[in-house]
Amino acid sequence: MNRRKLATAVLSTLLYAQGLLGFAGLATVLMKEHAHAATAPMSAASAPAALPAATR
């Protein structure tokens, strides 16, 4: 019975670690996207002031 408890503890620890790594990976991707969006210049197509007066 002791081996079964050890196996359960090891598997639980591995599952917990996998969850933490997944969360860290997701946070990294979101932070990179946020940083990229903050530093990327606005394109002329998305800026309303850049449109010609005839199309307003």
Side-chain angles (χ1 to χ4, degrees):
M1 202 54 125
N2 197 12
R3 268 192 167 164
R4 183 175 243 168
K5 275 190 170 184
L6 178 64
T8 302
V10 168
L11 290 176
S12 294
T13 304
L14 289 173
L15 185 60
Y16 180 75
Q18 184 179 4
L20 285 177
L21 287 172
F23 180 75
L26 178 64
T28 302
V29 168
L30 292 176
M31 286 174 59
K32 280 185 181 179
E33 285 181 3
H34 180 70
H36 178 69
T39 59
M42 243 175 127
S43 67
S46 65
L51 296 175
T55 60
R56 288 188 192 169

